[in-house]
Amino acid sequence: MITVFGATGTTGAPLVETLLAKGAEVRAVTSDPARVAALRTRGCEAITANFTDPAALERACAGAEKIYLVTPAHRDMRRWKANTIEAAKAVGVRHVVLATGLGASPKARVTFGKWHSETQELLKQSGLNWTFVQPTYFMQNLLWQAGSVAKTGVYHDDLGGPVAWIDARDIAAVAAEALTGAGHEGKTYGLTGPEALTGVDIAAILSDVTGRSVICAPLSAEDSKATMIAGGMQGEVAAAMVELASIAPKGYLAGIETTVSDVLGRPARRFTDFVAENRDAFVQ
């Protein structure tokens, strides 16, 4: 049995599909009771659990040999993950595949890197087997702007530098291999796509794929933070997101990792292909 937390999320949803396709026995965990029925129709067990409820977390982990642990970006995510690791240990889980972020380590200088590192160190000290998957920015994040791009023909760039975006399905595929394959314990997998793209590059790809002119417009840190807060993000988390984006102009998000091809034996998905698959979202 493999328990997948965040089973309706950006990486959890494709992970459930990938594991089921591999023939794994899957327990999908969501915090939303309204989504349980749809998960069950996919052929897996599905339950609800809240990261603040230790008893529910133990039920979610009970009988599982391995778990995939991811939480939303939230100021309490360190506590949530600590609660889950404690529950997993209590019921005999053997291996945790933990989703953190690229560059997370005790030497990290940005808030998210520090937060993720705290959880990584906690898991290392737990006595459980572990694998860390550390992705960069998700290509799926581009869909947040799809309606605006379709309406205005403008891509708002809040990064200001090159980023090696990764498709969330590749994150899920690597996590699935770590959960079902051998030799992944104690490994840290930095995950990026095959190329680093600037906002101008992204606008050019959107133009090529949609057949309409899309321009790139810089989005200031202040406006970016305000937009995230208006969308419901906590101020502390929005500030951490802006801080992370601030290292892009220095080239710190442009490094290319070969992990996807090393682990899966195939190339990582390209940004152009992702946009082509979702073309209709960017065209009115």
Side-chain angles (χ1 to χ4, degrees):
M1 169 72 76
I2 298 171
T3 292
V4 177
F5 287 92
T8 59
T10 308
T11 61
L15 175 57
V16 169
E17 292 292 344
T18 303
L19 290 172
L20 290 173
K22 287 175 170 285
E25 184 181 2
V26 177
R27 177 182 294 139
V29 184
T30 176
S31 61
D32 185 358
R35 308 187 78 169
V36 169
L39 285 168
R40 288 174 178 162
T41 64
R42 294 158 73 178
C44 60
E45 181 183 347
I47 64 171
T48 58
N50 190 296
F51 286 114
T52 61
D53 185 343
L57 293 173
E58 287 194 13
R59 289 193 296 271
C61 293
E65 181 181 4
K66 302 182 180 185
I67 69 170
Y68 174 73
L69 177 55
V70 65
T71 67
H74 191 281
R75 64 178 170 234
D76 294 331
M77 64 185 192
R78 288 165 291 173
R79 179 168 61 86
W80 292 350
K81 289 176 179 174
N83 289 346
T84 310
I85 291 167
E86 184 176 349
K89 185 175 181 179
V91 298
V93 169
R94 294 177 53 199
H95 184 191
V96 178
V97 175
L98 176 68
T100 61
L102 193 64
S105 80
K107 297 180 180 180
R109 296 183 178 181
V110 297
T111 299
F112 275 127
K114 294 174 184 176
W115 287 359
H116 285 313
S117 178
E118 287 182 28
T119 304
Q120 290 180 170
E121 295 306 305
L122 179 67
L123 180 55
K124 286 180 179 180
Q125 295 162 13
S126 71
L128 299 172
N129 289 324
W130 54 267
T131 306
F132 302 148
V133 290
Q134 299 182 330
T136 183
Y137 279 76
F138 300 177
M139 293 180 190
Q140 281 71 11
N141 292 353
L142 184 67
L143 297 175
W144 298 346
Q145 287 199 48
S148 174
V149 170
K151 183 178 181 180
T152 67
V154 177
Y155 168 68
H156 294 283
D157 177 22
D158 63 344
L159 294 166
V163 175
W165 300 74
I166 185 166
D167 193 307
R169 293 170 295 180
D170 285 342
I171 303 169
V174 171
E177 181 60 31
L179 288 161
T180 61
H184 300 286
E185 294 85 351
K187 298 290 183 64
T188 298
Y189 290 137
L191 299 174
T192 73
E195 58 195 341
L197 302 172
T198 65
V200 172
D201 295 330
I202 291 172
I205 290 171
L206 287 167
S207 298
D208 290 343
V209 172
T210 63
R212 59 194 295 263
S213 177
V214 177
I215 64 171
C216 173
L219 186 67
S220 70
E222 294 77 11
D223 288 343
S224 176
K225 182 178 178 181
T227 298
M228 286 185 279
I229 292 174
M233 186 175 288
Q234 298 159 320
E236 185 178 357
V237 178
M241 292 292 290
V242 169
E243 179 191 37
L244 180 61
S246 73
I247 69 175
K250 302 173 185 177
Y252 294 148
L253 302 177
I256 306 298
E257 301 283 348
T258 62
T259 310
V260 172
S261 57
D262 293 344
V263 173
L264 303 178
R266 63 158 176 83
R269 290 177 170 89
R270 297 177 65 85
F271 205 99
T272 299
D273 297 327
F274 172 79
V275 174
E277 289 179 41
N278 293 278
R279 179 184 182 278
D280 290 349
F282 300 99
V283 179
Q284 281 190 325

